[in-house]
PDB file of all heavy atoms in Angstrom:
ATOM      1  N   THR A  28      -3.976  11.424   5.610  1.00  0.00           N
ATOM      2  CA  THR A  28      -2.578  11.005   5.385  1.00  0.00           C
ATOM      3  C   THR A  28      -2.324   9.789   6.313  1.00  0.00           C
ATOM      4  O   THR A  28      -3.015   9.650   7.310  1.00  0.00           O
ATOM      5  CB  THR A  28      -1.606  12.129   5.613  1.00  0.00           C
ATOM      6  OG1 THR A  28      -1.831  12.685   6.963  1.00  0.00           O
ATOM      7  CG2 THR A  28      -1.714  13.188   4.549  1.00  0.00           C
ATOM      8  N   PRO A  29      -1.373   9.028   5.949  1.00  0.00           N
ATOM      9  CA  PRO A  29      -0.568   9.088   4.763  1.00  0.00           C
ATOM     10  C   PRO A  29      -1.424   8.668   3.521  1.00  0.00           C
ATOM     11  O   PRO A  29      -2.370   7.904   3.620  1.00  0.00           O
ATOM     12  CB  PRO A  29       0.552   8.122   5.023  1.00  0.00           C
ATOM     13  CG  PRO A  29      -0.030   7.124   5.979  1.00  0.00           C
ATOM     14  CD  PRO A  29      -0.943   7.893   6.868  1.00  0.00           C
ATOM     15  N   LEU A  30      -1.021   9.178   2.409  1.00  0.00           N
ATOM     16  CA  LEU A  30      -1.507   8.703   1.127  1.00  0.00           C
ATOM     17  C   LEU A  30      -0.275   8.239   0.362  1.00  0.00           C
ATOM     18  O   LEU A  30       0.664   8.973   0.154  1.00  0.00           O
ATOM     19  CB  LEU A  30      -2.205   9.783   0.327  1.00  0.00           C
ATOM     20  CG  LEU A  30      -2.593   9.448  -1.115  1.00  0.00           C
ATOM     21  CD1 LEU A  30      -3.541   8.264  -1.136  1.00  0.00           C
ATOM     22  CD2 LEU A  30      -3.203  10.689  -1.781  1.00  0.00           C
ATOM     23  N   ILE A  31      -0.237   6.938  -0.013  1.00  0.00           N
ATOM     24  CA  ILE A  31       0.854   6.371  -0.711  1.00  0.00           C
ATOM     25  C   ILE A  31       0.322   5.982  -2.103  1.00  0.00           C
ATOM     26  O   ILE A  31      -0.578   5.204  -2.198  1.00  0.00           O
ATOM     27  CB  ILE A  31       1.444   5.131  -0.026  1.00  0.00           C
ATOM     28  CG1 ILE A  31       1.898   5.465   1.409  1.00  0.00           C
ATOM     29  CG2 ILE A  31       2.563   4.545  -0.850  1.00  0.00           C
ATOM     30  CD1 ILE A  31       2.281   4.277   2.254  1.00  0.00           C
ATOM     31  N   CYS A  32       0.934   6.552  -3.143  1.00  0.00           N
ATOM     32  CA  CYS A  32       0.594   6.269  -4.516  1.00  0.00           C
ATOM     33  C   CYS A  32       1.719   5.366  -5.079  1.00  0.00           C
ATOM     34  O   CYS A  32       2.866   5.834  -5.185  1.00  0.00           O
ATOM     35  CB  CYS A  32       0.428   7.500  -5.352  1.00  0.00           C
ATOM     36  SG  CYS A  32      -0.891   8.586  -4.729  1.00  0.00           S
ATOM     37  N   ILE A  33       1.328   4.154  -5.477  1.00  0.00           N
ATOM     38  CA  ILE A  33       2.298   3.205  -5.910  1.00  0.00           C
ATOM     39  C   ILE A  33       1.831   2.578  -7.191  1.00  0.00           C
ATOM     40  O   ILE A  33       1.006   1.610  -7.155  1.00  0.00           O
ATOM     41  CB  ILE A  33       2.618   2.176  -4.753  1.00  0.00           C
ATOM     42  CG1 ILE A  33       3.654   1.164  -5.223  1.00  0.00           C
ATOM     43  CG2 ILE A  33       1.389   1.561  -4.174  1.00  0.00           C
ATOM     44  CD1 ILE A  33       4.153   0.298  -4.040  1.00  0.00           C
ATOM     45  N   GLY A  34       2.242   3.117  -8.308  1.00  0.00           N
ATOM     46  CA  GLY A  34       1.826   2.605  -9.601  1.00  0.00           C
ATOM     47  C   GLY A  34       0.344   2.802  -9.788  1.00  0.00           C
ATOM     48  O   GLY A  34      -0.156   3.932  -9.722  1.00  0.00           O
ATOM     49  N   ASN A  35      -0.400   1.738 -10.035  1.00  0.00           N
ATOM     50  CA  ASN A  35      -1.823   1.774 -10.246  1.00  0.00           C
ATOM     51  C   ASN A  35      -2.574   1.491  -8.938  1.00  0.00           C
ATOM     52  O   ASN A  35      -3.800   1.152  -8.989  1.00  0.00           O
ATOM     53  CB  ASN A  35      -2.239   0.747 -11.333  1.00  0.00           C
ATOM     54  CG  ASN A  35      -1.676   1.229 -12.691  1.00  0.00           C
ATOM     55  OD1 ASN A  35      -1.780   2.409 -13.012  1.00  0.00           O
ATOM     56  ND2 ASN A  35      -1.091   0.292 -13.360  1.00  0.00           N
ATOM     57  N   ASN A  36      -1.996   1.635  -7.832  1.00  0.00           N
ATOM     58  CA  ASN A  36      -2.629   1.374  -6.545  1.00  0.00           C
ATOM     59  C   ASN A  36      -2.329   2.490  -5.582  1.00  0.00           C
ATOM     60  O   ASN A  36      -1.374   3.264  -5.782  1.00  0.00           O
ATOM     61  CB  ASN A  36      -2.144   0.017  -5.951  1.00  0.00           C
ATOM     62  CG  ASN A  36      -2.456  -1.191  -6.802  1.00  0.00           C
ATOM     63  OD1 ASN A  36      -3.608  -1.508  -6.821  1.00  0.00           O
ATOM     64  ND2 ASN A  36      -1.523  -1.735  -7.421  1.00  0.00           N
ATOM     65  N   TYR A  37      -3.095   2.562  -4.524  1.00  0.00           N
ATOM     66  CA  TYR A  37      -2.866   3.551  -3.502  1.00  0.00           C
ATOM     67  C   TYR A  37      -3.213   3.004  -2.160  1.00  0.00           C
ATOM     68  O   TYR A  37      -3.973   1.995  -2.022  1.00  0.00           O
ATOM     69  CB  TYR A  37      -3.677   4.805  -3.722  1.00  0.00           C
ATOM     70  CG  TYR A  37      -5.128   4.631  -3.448  1.00  0.00           C
ATOM     71  CD1 TYR A  37      -5.734   4.965  -2.183  1.00  0.00           C
ATOM     72  CD2 TYR A  37      -6.023   4.195  -4.431  1.00  0.00           C
ATOM     73  CE1 TYR A  37      -7.041   4.789  -1.921  1.00  0.00           C
ATOM     74  CE2 TYR A  37      -7.385   4.022  -4.221  1.00  0.00           C
ATOM     75  CZ  TYR A  37      -7.840   4.294  -2.959  1.00  0.00           C
ATOM     76  OH  TYR A  37      -9.202   4.120  -2.678  1.00  0.00           O
ATOM     77  N   ILE A  38      -2.679   3.563  -1.084  1.00  0.00           N
ATOM     78  CA  ILE A  38      -2.980   3.277   0.295  1.00  0.00           C
ATOM     79  C   ILE A  38      -3.292   4.571   0.967  1.00  0.00           C
ATOM     80  O   ILE A  38      -2.513   5.499   0.903  1.00  0.00           O
ATOM     81  CB  ILE A  38      -1.776   2.539   0.992  1.00  0.00           C
ATOM     82  CG1 ILE A  38      -1.475   1.191   0.330  1.00  0.00           C
ATOM     83  CG2 ILE A  38      -2.099   2.430   2.453  1.00  0.00           C
ATOM     84  CD1 ILE A  38      -0.194   0.538   0.874  1.00  0.00           C
ATOM     85  N   LEU A  39      -4.439   4.629   1.611  1.00  0.00           N
ATOM     86  CA  LEU A  39      -4.895   5.811   2.326  1.00  0.00           C
ATOM     87  C   LEU A  39      -4.992   5.450   3.823  1.00  0.00           C
ATOM     88  O   LEU A  39      -5.748   4.525   4.129  1.00  0.00           O
ATOM     89  CB  LEU A  39      -6.224   6.358   1.728  1.00  0.00           C
ATOM     90  CG  LEU A  39      -6.743   7.597   2.414  1.00  0.00           C
ATOM     91  CD1 LEU A  39      -5.793   8.762   2.276  1.00  0.00           C
ATOM     92  CD2 LEU A  39      -8.086   7.973   1.766  1.00  0.00           C
ATOM     93  N   GLY A  40      -4.278   6.162   4.622  1.00  0.00           N
ATOM     94  CA  GLY A  40      -4.242   5.787   6.069  1.00  0.00           C
ATOM     95  C   GLY A  40      -3.187   4.718   6.295  1.00  0.00           C
ATOM     96  O   GLY A  40      -2.481   4.277   5.358  1.00  0.00           O
ATOM     97  N   TRP A  41      -3.081   4.256   7.543  1.00  0.00           N
ATOM     98  CA  TRP A  41      -2.044   3.280   7.892  1.00  0.00           C
ATOM     99  C   TRP A  41      -2.551   2.484   9.051  1.00  0.00           C
ATOM    100  O   TRP A  41      -3.070   2.977  10.051  1.00  0.00           O
ATOM    101  CB  TRP A  41      -0.742   3.875   8.164  1.00  0.00           C
ATOM    102  CG  TRP A  41       0.356   2.830   8.139  1.00  0.00           C
ATOM    103  CD1 TRP A  41       0.962   2.278   9.196  1.00  0.00           C
ATOM    104  CD2 TRP A  41       0.869   2.205   7.019  1.00  0.00           C
ATOM    105  NE1 TRP A  41       1.899   1.365   8.766  1.00  0.00           N
ATOM    106  CE2 TRP A  41       1.831   1.283   7.438  1.00  0.00           C
ATOM    107  CE3 TRP A  41       0.706   2.315   5.602  1.00  0.00           C
ATOM    108  CZ2 TRP A  41       2.566   0.466   6.569  1.00  0.00           C
ATOM    109  CZ3 TRP A  41       1.408   1.534   4.756  1.00  0.00           C
ATOM    110  CH2 TRP A  41       2.382   0.606   5.222  1.00  0.00           C
ATOM    111  N   SER A  42      -2.327   1.147   8.969  1.00  0.00           N
ATOM    112  CA  SER A  42      -2.564   0.218  10.087  1.00  0.00           C
ATOM    113  C   SER A  42      -1.762  -1.049   9.704  1.00  0.00           C
ATOM    114  O   SER A  42      -1.163  -1.129   8.644  1.00  0.00           O
ATOM    115  CB  SER A  42      -4.041  -0.094  10.228  1.00  0.00           C
ATOM    116  OG  SER A  42      -4.517  -0.667   9.046  1.00  0.00           O
ATOM    117  N   LYS A  43      -1.786  -2.082  10.547  1.00  0.00           N
ATOM    118  CA  LYS A  43      -1.018  -3.322  10.299  1.00  0.00           C
ATOM    119  C   LYS A  43      -1.450  -3.947   9.016  1.00  0.00           C
ATOM    120  O   LYS A  43      -0.651  -4.464   8.272  1.00  0.00           O
ATOM    121  CB  LYS A  43      -1.210  -4.287  11.455  1.00  0.00           C
ATOM    122  CG  LYS A  43      -0.382  -3.986  12.675  1.00  0.00           C
ATOM    123  CD  LYS A  43       1.062  -4.276  12.329  1.00  0.00           C
ATOM    124  CE  LYS A  43       1.952  -4.076  13.590  1.00  0.00           C
ATOM    125  NZ  LYS A  43       3.317  -4.048  13.244  1.00  0.00           N
ATOM    126  N   ASN A  44      -2.734  -3.975   8.723  1.00  0.00           N
ATOM    127  CA  ASN A  44      -3.218  -4.601   7.425  1.00  0.00           C
ATOM    128  C   ASN A  44      -2.723  -3.887   6.209  1.00  0.00           C
ATOM    129  O   ASN A  44      -2.625  -4.450   5.146  1.00  0.00           O
ATOM    130  CB  ASN A  44      -4.747  -4.863   7.430  1.00  0.00           C
ATOM    131  CG  ASN A  44      -5.508  -3.535   7.454  1.00  0.00           C
ATOM    132  OD1 ASN A  44      -5.086  -2.576   7.981  1.00  0.00           O
ATOM    133  ND2 ASN A  44      -6.654  -3.565   6.891  1.00  0.00           N
ATOM    134  N   LYS A  45      -2.409  -2.569   6.370  1.00  0.00           N
ATOM    135  CA  LYS A  45      -1.869  -1.797   5.186  1.00  0.00           C
ATOM    136  C   LYS A  45      -0.490  -2.272   4.822  1.00  0.00           C
ATOM    137  O   LYS A  45      -0.054  -2.094   3.708  1.00  0.00           O
ATOM    138  CB  LYS A  45      -1.929  -0.298   5.498  1.00  0.00           C
ATOM    139  CG  LYS A  45      -3.262   0.258   5.877  1.00  0.00           C
ATOM    140  CD  LYS A  45      -4.174   0.441   4.673  1.00  0.00           C
ATOM    141  CE  LYS A  45      -5.455   1.038   5.167  1.00  0.00           C
ATOM    142  NZ  LYS A  45      -6.300   1.572   4.167  1.00  0.00           N
ATOM    143  N   GLU A  46       0.245  -2.829   5.846  1.00  0.00           N
ATOM    144  CA  GLU A  46       1.568  -3.340   5.525  1.00  0.00           C
ATOM    145  C   GLU A  46       1.511  -4.442   4.462  1.00  0.00           C
ATOM    146  O   GLU A  46       2.327  -4.482   3.550  1.00  0.00           O
ATOM    147  CB  GLU A  46       2.261  -3.912   6.771  1.00  0.00           C
ATOM    148  CG  GLU A  46       2.538  -2.846   7.775  1.00  0.00           C
ATOM    149  CD  GLU A  46       3.071  -3.352   9.112  1.00  0.00           C
ATOM    150  OE1 GLU A  46       3.398  -4.599   9.180  1.00  0.00           O
ATOM    151  OE2 GLU A  46       3.294  -2.557  10.060  1.00  0.00           O
ATOM    152  N   GLU A  47       0.546  -5.354   4.611  1.00  0.00           N
ATOM    153  CA  GLU A  47       0.347  -6.421   3.637  1.00  0.00           C
ATOM    154  C   GLU A  47      -0.100  -5.820   2.295  1.00  0.00           C
ATOM    155  O   GLU A  47       0.379  -6.326   1.240  1.00  0.00           O
ATOM    156  CB  GLU A  47      -0.670  -7.422   4.089  1.00  0.00           C
ATOM    157  CG  GLU A  47      -0.219  -8.217   5.284  1.00  0.00           C
ATOM    158  CD  GLU A  47       1.080  -8.962   5.015  1.00  0.00           C
ATOM    159  OE1 GLU A  47       1.234  -9.552   3.920  1.00  0.00           O
ATOM    160  OE2 GLU A  47       1.981  -8.892   5.911  1.00  0.00           O
ATOM    161  N   ASP A  48      -0.923  -4.798   2.336  1.00  0.00           N
ATOM    162  CA  ASP A  48      -1.362  -4.130   1.030  1.00  0.00           C
ATOM    163  C   ASP A  48      -0.098  -3.610   0.371  1.00  0.00           C
ATOM    164  O   ASP A  48       0.077  -3.723  -0.835  1.00  0.00           O
ATOM    165  CB  ASP A  48      -2.356  -2.994   1.317  1.00  0.00           C
ATOM    166  CG  ASP A  48      -3.692  -3.505   1.688  1.00  0.00           C
ATOM    167  OD1 ASP A  48      -3.977  -4.715   1.523  1.00  0.00           O
ATOM    168  OD2 ASP A  48      -4.448  -2.704   2.291  1.00  0.00           O
ATOM    169  N   PHE A  49       0.791  -2.921   1.151  1.00  0.00           N
ATOM    170  CA  PHE A  49       1.941  -2.330   0.536  1.00  0.00           C
ATOM    171  C   PHE A  49       2.824  -3.383  -0.109  1.00  0.00           C
ATOM    172  O   PHE A  49       3.281  -3.220  -1.271  1.00  0.00           O
ATOM    173  CB  PHE A  49       2.785  -1.623   1.580  1.00  0.00           C
ATOM    174  CG  PHE A  49       3.962  -0.831   0.980  1.00  0.00           C
ATOM    175  CD1 PHE A  49       3.843   0.398   0.440  1.00  0.00           C
ATOM    176  CD2 PHE A  49       5.199  -1.436   0.959  1.00  0.00           C
ATOM    177  CE1 PHE A  49       4.898   1.024  -0.206  1.00  0.00           C
ATOM    178  CE2 PHE A  49       6.314  -0.815   0.364  1.00  0.00           C
ATOM    179  CZ  PHE A  49       6.127   0.443  -0.217  1.00  0.00           C
ATOM    180  N   LYS A  50       3.056  -4.538   0.617  1.00  0.00           N
ATOM    181  CA  LYS A  50       3.808  -5.617   0.006  1.00  0.00           C
ATOM    182  C   LYS A  50       3.262  -6.129  -1.314  1.00  0.00           C
ATOM    183  O   LYS A  50       3.962  -6.287  -2.253  1.00  0.00           O
ATOM    184  CB  LYS A  50       3.983  -6.750   1.014  1.00  0.00           C
ATOM    185  CG  LYS A  50       4.751  -6.410   2.246  1.00  0.00           C
ATOM    186  CD  LYS A  50       4.733  -7.577   3.259  1.00  0.00           C
ATOM    187  CE  LYS A  50       5.336  -7.107   4.571  1.00  0.00           C
ATOM    188  NZ  LYS A  50       5.270  -8.197   5.586  1.00  0.00           N
ATOM    189  N   LYS A  51       1.936  -6.313  -1.316  1.00  0.00           N
ATOM    190  CA  LYS A  51       1.259  -6.748  -2.528  1.00  0.00           C
ATOM    191  C   LYS A  51       1.367  -5.774  -3.658  1.00  0.00           C
ATOM    192  O   LYS A  51       1.665  -6.094  -4.816  1.00  0.00           O
ATOM    193  CB  LYS A  51      -0.199  -7.070  -2.191  1.00  0.00           C
ATOM    194  CG  LYS A  51      -1.044  -7.581  -3.377  1.00  0.00           C
ATOM    195  CD  LYS A  51      -2.457  -7.847  -2.944  1.00  0.00           C
ATOM    196  CE  LYS A  51      -3.192  -6.616  -2.600  1.00  0.00           C
ATOM    197  NZ  LYS A  51      -4.607  -6.767  -2.327  1.00  0.00           N
ATOM    198  N   PHE A  52       1.129  -4.497  -3.352  1.00  0.00           N
ATOM    199  CA  PHE A  52       1.185  -3.425  -4.367  1.00  0.00           C
ATOM    200  C   PHE A  52       2.612  -3.233  -4.858  1.00  0.00           C
ATOM    201  O   PHE A  52       2.819  -2.994  -6.014  1.00  0.00           O
ATOM    202  CB  PHE A  52       0.608  -2.127  -3.818  1.00  0.00           C
ATOM    203  CG  PHE A  52      -0.859  -2.134  -3.451  1.00  0.00           C
ATOM    204  CD1 PHE A  52      -1.372  -1.275  -2.566  1.00  0.00           C
ATOM    205  CD2 PHE A  52      -1.714  -3.110  -4.051  1.00  0.00           C
ATOM    206  CE1 PHE A  52      -2.721  -1.223  -2.278  1.00  0.00           C
ATOM    207  CE2 PHE A  52      -3.065  -3.107  -3.784  1.00  0.00           C
ATOM    208  CZ  PHE A  52      -3.561  -2.186  -2.831  1.00  0.00           C
ATOM    209  N   LEU A  53       3.602  -3.405  -4.065  1.00  0.00           N
ATOM    210  CA  LEU A  53       4.992  -3.285  -4.396  1.00  0.00           C
ATOM    211  C   LEU A  53       5.334  -4.344  -5.433  1.00  0.00           C
ATOM    212  O   LEU A  53       5.994  -4.061  -6.428  1.00  0.00           O
ATOM    213  CB  LEU A  53       5.904  -3.344  -3.210  1.00  0.00           C
ATOM    214  CG  LEU A  53       7.423  -3.192  -3.510  1.00  0.00           C
ATOM    215  CD1 LEU A  53       7.695  -1.788  -4.178  1.00  0.00           C
ATOM    216  CD2 LEU A  53       8.199  -3.333  -2.235  1.00  0.00           C
ATOM    217  N   GLU A  54       4.878  -5.560  -5.263  1.00  0.00           N
ATOM    218  CA  GLU A  54       5.121  -6.638  -6.209  1.00  0.00           C
ATOM    219  C   GLU A  54       4.494  -6.276  -7.539  1.00  0.00           C
ATOM    220  O   GLU A  54       5.107  -6.457  -8.611  1.00  0.00           O
ATOM    221  CB  GLU A  54       4.603  -8.036  -5.671  1.00  0.00           C
ATOM    222  CG  GLU A  54       5.497  -8.611  -4.643  1.00  0.00           C
ATOM    223  CD  GLU A  54       6.956  -8.760  -5.090  1.00  0.00           C
ATOM    224  OE1 GLU A  54       7.185  -9.304  -6.170  1.00  0.00           O
ATOM    225  OE2 GLU A  54       7.846  -8.346  -4.305  1.00  0.00           O
ATOM    226  N   GLN A  55       3.282  -5.816  -7.590  1.00  0.00           N
ATOM    227  CA  GLN A  55       2.580  -5.457  -8.760  1.00  0.00           C
ATOM    228  C   GLN A  55       3.311  -4.312  -9.417  1.00  0.00           C
ATOM    229  O   GLN A  55       3.503  -4.297 -10.629  1.00  0.00           O
ATOM    230  CB  GLN A  55       1.126  -5.044  -8.471  1.00  0.00           C
ATOM    231  CG  GLN A  55       0.221  -6.133  -8.040  1.00  0.00           C
ATOM    232  CD  GLN A  55      -1.123  -5.695  -7.626  1.00  0.00           C
ATOM    233  OE1 GLN A  55      -1.485  -4.444  -7.751  1.00  0.00           O
ATOM    234  NE2 GLN A  55      -1.938  -6.567  -7.066  1.00  0.00           N
ATOM    235  N   PHE A  56       3.797  -3.351  -8.661  1.00  0.00           N
ATOM    236  CA  PHE A  56       4.519  -2.185  -9.079  1.00  0.00           C
ATOM    237  C   PHE A  56       5.773  -2.592  -9.816  1.00  0.00           C
ATOM    238  O   PHE A  56       6.140  -2.074 -10.889  1.00  0.00           O
ATOM    239  CB  PHE A  56       4.816  -1.258  -7.951  1.00  0.00           C
ATOM    240  CG  PHE A  56       5.596  -0.029  -8.264  1.00  0.00           C
ATOM    241  CD1 PHE A  56       5.040   1.054  -9.008  1.00  0.00           C
ATOM    242  CD2 PHE A  56       6.955   0.111  -7.881  1.00  0.00           C
ATOM    243  CE1 PHE A  56       5.762   2.167  -9.303  1.00  0.00           C
ATOM    244  CE2 PHE A  56       7.653   1.235  -8.203  1.00  0.00           C
ATOM    245  CZ  PHE A  56       7.103   2.273  -8.895  1.00  0.00           C
TER     246      PHE A  56
END
């Protein structure tokens, strides 16, 4: 954890670079 499921993407774990992944996945979502 954390496991974030956002549409057709996911994020497993968390660090600073995951913040950018979240922003990108949110736009796709």
Side-chain angles (χ1 to χ4, degrees):
T28 54
L30 172 61
I31 302 171
C32 299
I33 179 168
N35 293 315
N36 296 289
Y37 73 92
I38 296 172
L39 181 59
W41 194 257
S42 61
K43 282 288 183 191
N44 64 330
K45 303 285 183 167
E46 293 176 7
E47 291 304 315
D48 289 344
F49 185 84
K50 292 174 188 176
K51 179 177 72 175
F52 294 157
L53 182 60
E54 284 306 310
Q55 291 173 6
F56 177 74

